Coordinates of all heavy atoms in Angstrom, one line a residue:
R1099 N 51.9 10.4 18.1 CA 50.9 9.6 17.4 C 51.3 8.1 17.5 O 52.4 7.8 17.6 CB 50.7 10.0 16.0 CG 51.8 9.7 15.0 CD 51.6 10.4 13.7 NE 50.4 9.8 13.0 CZ 49.8 10.4 12.0 NH1 50.2 11.6 11.6 NH2 48.8 9.8 11.4
D1100 N 50.2 7.3 17.5 CA 50.4 5.9 17.5 C 49.5 5.4 16.3 O 48.3 5.3 16.4 CB 49.9 5.3 18.8 CG 50.1 3.8 18.9 OD1 50.3 3.1 17.9 OD2 50.2 3.2 20.0
N1101 N 50.2 5.1 15.2 CA 49.4 4.8 14.0 C 48.7 3.4 14.2 O 47.8 3.1 13.5 CB 50.4 4.8 12.8 CG 50.7 6.2 12.3 OD1 50.0 7.1 12.7 ND2 51.7 6.3 11.5
A1102 N 49.3 2.5 15.0 CA 48.6 1.2 15.3 C 47.3 1.4 16.0 O 46.4 0.6 15.9 CB 49.6 0.3 16.0
K1103 N 47.2 2.5 16.8 CA 46.0 2.7 17.5 C 45.1 3.8 16.9 O 44.1 4.2 17.5 CB 46.3 3.1 19.0 CG 47.0 2.0 19.8 CD 47.2 2.4 21.2 CE 47.9 1.2 22.0 NZ 48.1 1.6 23.4
N1104 N 45.5 4.4 15.8 CA 44.8 5.5 15.1 C 44.5 6.6 16.1 O 43.4 7.2 16.1 CB 43.4 4.9 14.6 CG 43.6 4.1 13.3 OD1 44.7 3.8 12.9 ND2 42.5 3.8 12.7
T1105 N 45.6 7.0 16.8 CA 45.4 8.0 17.9 C 46.5 9.0 17.8 O 47.7 8.6 17.7 CB 45.3 7.4 19.3 OG1 44.2 6.4 19.3 CG2 45.0 8.4 20.3
V1106 N 46.2 10.3 18.0 CA 47.2 11.3 18.2 C 47.0 11.9 19.6 O 45.9 12.0 20.1 CB 47.1 12.4 17.1 CG1 45.8 13.1 17.1 CG2 48.2 13.4 17.2
Y1107 N 48.1 12.3 20.2 CA 48.1 12.8 21.6 C 48.7 14.2 21.7 O 49.5 14.6 20.9 CB 48.9 11.8 22.5 CG 48.5 10.4 22.5 CD1 49.1 9.5 21.6 CD2 47.4 9.9 23.3 CE1 48.8 8.1 21.6 CE2 47.1 8.6 23.2 CZ 47.7 7.7 22.4 OH 47.3 6.4 22.3
L1108 N 48.3 14.9 22.7 CA 48.9 16.1 23.1 C 49.2 16.1 24.6 O 48.2 16.2 25.4 CB 48.0 17.3 22.7 CG 48.7 18.7 22.9 CD1 49.8 18.9 22.0 CD2 47.7 19.8 22.8
Q1109 N 50.4 15.9 24.9 CA 50.8 16.0 26.3 C 51.1 17.4 26.7 O 51.9 18.1 26.1 CB 52.1 15.1 26.6 CG 52.6 15.2 28.0 CD 51.6 14.5 29.0 OE1 51.1 13.4 28.7 NE2 51.4 15.1 30.1
M1110 N 50.3 17.9 27.7 CA 50.4 19.3 28.1 C 51.0 19.3 29.5 O 50.4 18.9 30.5 CB 49.0 19.9 28.1 CG 48.3 19.8 26.8 SD 46.5 20.2 26.9 CE 46.6 21.9 27.3
N1111 N 52.2 19.9 29.7 CA 52.9 20.0 31.0 C 53.0 21.5 31.3 O 53.0 22.3 30.5 CB 54.2 19.4 30.9 CG 54.2 17.9 30.7 OD1 53.2 17.2 31.1 ND2 55.2 17.3 30.1
N1112 N 53.1 21.7 32.6 CA 53.3 23.1 33.1 C 52.3 24.0 32.5 O 52.6 25.1 32.0 CB 54.7 23.6 32.8 CG 55.1 24.9 33.5 OD1 54.5 25.3 34.5 ND2 56.0 25.6 32.9
V1113 N 51.0 23.6 32.5 CA 50.0 24.4 31.9 C 49.8 25.8 32.6 O 50.1 25.9 33.8 CB 48.7 23.7 31.8 CG1 48.8 22.4 31.0 CG2 48.2 23.3 33.2
K1114 N 49.3 26.7 31.8 CA 49.1 28.1 32.3 C 47.7 28.5 32.1 O 47.0 28.0 31.2 CB 50.0 29.1 31.5 CG 51.5 28.7 31.6 CD 52.4 29.6 30.8 CE 53.8 29.3 30.9 NZ 54.7 30.2 30.0
P1115 N 47.2 29.5 32.8 CA 45.8 29.9 32.6 C 45.5 30.3 31.1 O 44.4 30.1 30.6 CB 45.7 31.1 33.5 CG 46.6 30.8 34.6 CD 47.8 30.1 34.0
E1116 N 46.5 30.8 30.5 CA 46.3 31.2 29.1 C 46.2 30.1 28.1 O 45.9 30.2 26.9 CB 47.4 32.2 28.6 CG 48.8 31.7 28.8 CD 49.4 32.2 30.1 OE1 48.7 32.3 31.1 OE2 50.6 32.6 30.1
D1117 N 46.4 28.8 28.6 CA 46.1 27.7 27.8 C 44.7 27.2 27.8 O 44.3 26.3 27.1 CB 47.0 26.5 28.3 CG 48.5 26.7 28.2 OD1 48.9 27.3 27.1 OD2 49.2 26.3 29.1
T1118 N 43.9 27.9 28.6 CA 42.4 27.6 28.7 C 41.8 27.8 27.3 O 41.9 28.9 26.7 CB 41.7 28.5 29.7 OG1 42.2 28.1 31.0 CG2 40.2 28.3 29.7
A1119 N 41.1 26.8 26.8 CA 40.5 26.9 25.5 C 39.8 25.6 25.2 O 40.0 24.6 25.9 CB 41.6 27.2 24.4
V1120 N 39.1 25.5 24.1 CA 38.6 24.3 23.5 C 39.7 23.8 22.6 O 40.1 24.6 21.7 CB 37.2 24.5 22.8 CG1 36.8 23.1 22.2 CG2 36.2 25.0 23.8
Y1121 N 40.1 22.6 22.7 CA 41.2 22.0 21.9 C 40.6 21.1 20.9 O 39.7 20.2 21.2 CB 42.2 21.3 22.8 CG 43.1 22.2 23.5 CD1 42.7 23.0 24.6 CD2 44.4 22.3 23.1 CE1 43.5 23.9 25.2 CE2 45.3 23.2 23.7 CZ 44.8 24.0 24.8 OH 45.7 24.9 25.4
Y1122 N 41.0 21.3 19.6 CA 40.5 20.5 18.5 C 41.6 19.7 17.8 O 42.7 20.3 17.7 CB 39.9 21.4 17.4 CG 38.7 22.2 17.9 CD1 38.9 23.5 18.5 CD2 37.4 21.7 17.8 CE1 37.8 24.2 18.9 CE2 36.3 22.5 18.2 CZ 36.5 23.7 18.8 OH 35.4 24.5 19.2
C1123 N 41.4 18.5 17.4 CA 42.4 17.8 16.6 C 41.8 17.9 15.1 O 40.6 18.0 14.9 CB 42.6 16.4 17.0 SG 41.3 15.2 16.8
A1124 N 42.8 17.8 14.2 CA 42.4 17.9 12.8 C 43.3 17.0 12.0 O 44.4 16.7 12.4 CB 42.6 19.3 12.3
A1125 N 42.8 16.6 10.8 CA 43.5 15.7 9.9 C 43.6 16.2 8.5 O 42.6 16.8 8.0 CB 42.8 14.3 9.9
D1126 N 44.8 16.1 8.0 CA 45.0 16.6 6.6 C 45.7 15.5 5.8 O 46.8 15.1 6.2 CB 45.9 17.8 6.7 CG 46.4 18.3 5.3 OD1 45.5 18.3 4.4 OD2 47.5 18.6 5.1
R1127 N 45.1 15.1 4.7 CA 45.7 14.0 3.9 C 46.9 14.5 3.1 O 46.8 15.5 2.4 CB 44.7 13.4 2.9 CG 45.1 12.1 2.3 CD 43.9 11.4 1.8 NE 44.3 10.0 1.5 CZ 43.4 9.1 1.1 NH1 42.1 9.4 1.1 NH2 43.8 7.9 0.8
R1128 N 48.0 13.9 3.3 CA 49.3 14.3 2.8 C 50.0 13.2 2.1 O 50.0 12.1 2.5 CB 50.2 14.9 3.9 CG 49.8 16.2 4.4 CD 50.2 17.4 3.5 NE 49.4 18.6 3.7 CZ 49.6 19.7 3.1 NH1 50.7 19.9 2.3 NH2 48.8 20.7 3.2
I1129 N 50.7 13.5 0.9 CA 51.5 12.6 0.3 C 52.8 12.4 1.0 O 53.3 11.3 1.2 CB 51.7 13.0 -1.2 CG1 50.4 12.9 -1.9 CG2 52.7 12.0 -1.9 CD1 50.5 13.4 -3.4
S1130 N 53.4 13.6 1.3 CA 54.7 13.5 2.0 C 54.6 13.0 3.4 O 53.8 13.4 4.2 CB 55.3 14.9 2.1 OG 56.4 15.0 2.9
P1131 N 55.4 12.0 3.8 CA 55.3 11.4 5.1 C 55.9 12.3 6.2 O 55.7 12.0 7.4 CB 56.1 10.1 5.0 CG 57.1 10.4 3.9 CD 56.4 11.3 2.9
S1132 N 56.7 13.3 5.8 CA 57.4 14.1 6.8 C 57.0 15.5 6.9 O 57.7 16.3 7.6 CB 58.9 14.0 6.6 OG 59.4 12.7 6.6
T1133 N 55.9 15.9 6.4 CA 55.4 17.3 6.4 C 54.5 17.5 7.6 O 53.6 16.7 7.8 CB 54.6 17.6 5.1 OG1 55.5 17.4 4.0 CG2 54.1 19.0 5.1
T1134 N 54.7 18.6 8.3 CA 53.7 19.1 9.3 C 53.0 20.3 8.7 O 53.5 21.0 7.9 CB 54.4 19.5 10.6 OG1 55.3 20.6 10.3 CG2 55.2 18.3 11.1
V1135 N 51.7 20.4 9.1 CA 50.8 21.4 8.6 C 50.4 22.3 9.7 O 49.8 21.9 10.7 CB 49.6 20.8 7.9 CG1 48.7 21.8 7.3 CG2 50.1 19.7 6.9
Q1136 N 50.6 23.6 9.6 CA 50.3 24.6 10.6 C 49.1 25.5 10.2 O 48.6 26.2 11.0 CB 51.5 25.5 10.9 CG 52.7 24.7 11.4 CD 53.8 25.6 11.8 OE1 53.7 26.8 12.0 NE2 55.0 25.0 12.1
I1137 N 48.7 25.4 8.9 CA 47.6 26.3 8.4 C 46.3 25.6 8.7 O 46.0 24.5 8.2 CB 47.8 26.5 6.9 CG1 49.2 27.1 6.7 CG2 46.7 27.4 6.4 CD1 49.6 27.2 5.2
L1138 N 45.4 26.4 9.4 CA 44.1 25.9 9.8 C 43.3 25.4 8.5 O 42.7 24.3 8.6 CB 43.4 27.0 10.5 CG 42.0 26.6 11.1 CD1 41.8 27.5 12.4 CD2 40.9 26.9 10.1
N1139 N 43.3 26.2 7.5 CA 42.4 25.9 6.3 C 42.9 24.7 5.5 O 42.2 24.3 4.6 CB 42.3 27.2 5.5 CG 41.5 28.3 6.1 OD1 40.7 28.0 7.0 ND2 41.7 29.5 5.7
A1140 N 44.1 24.3 5.8 CA 44.6 23.1 5.0 C 44.0 21.8 5.5 O 44.1 20.8 4.8 CB 46.1 23.0 5.2
Y1141 N 43.4 21.8 6.7 CA 42.9 20.6 7.3 C 41.5 20.2 6.8 O 40.7 21.1 6.6 CB 42.9 20.7 8.8 CG 44.3 20.5 9.4 CD1 45.1 21.6 9.5 CD2 44.7 19.3 9.8 CE1 46.4 21.4 10.1 CE2 46.0 19.1 10.3 CZ 46.8 20.2 10.5 OH 48.1 20.0 11.0
D1142 N 41.4 18.9 6.5 CA 40.1 18.4 5.9 C 39.1 18.0 6.9 O 37.9 18.1 6.7 CB 40.4 17.2 5.0 CG 41.5 17.6 4.0 OD1 41.3 18.5 3.2 OD2 42.5 16.8 3.9

């Protein structure tokens, strides 16, 4: 992520046919600066 540009990236290397999909980004407001969120329903 680049917080100065308000942008998050996903670099995909060595892609495979099983990576075929619609890709979505999501945002979840968090107090903790170091928490990652893997649960779909947690995203706002």
Side-chain angles (χ1 to χ4, degrees):
R1099 66 189 295 161
D1100 186 337
N1101 285 345
K1103 295 182 178 180
N1104 284 11
T1105 302
V1106 62
Y1107 304 97
L1108 185 68
Q1109 179 67 44
M1110 306 168 63
N1111 296 331
N1112 190 24
V1113 295
K1114 303 176 181 181
E1116 51 263 42
D1117 294 322
T1118 294
V1120 177
Y1121 283 72
Y1122 300 89
C1123 72
D1126 172 47
R1127 194 159 191 172
R1128 287 278 156 173
I1129 296 176
S1130 169
S1132 299
T1133 299
T1134 60
V1135 183
Q1136 301 185 12
I1137 302 172
L1138 185 149
N1139 290 337
Y1141 283 86
D1142 304 306

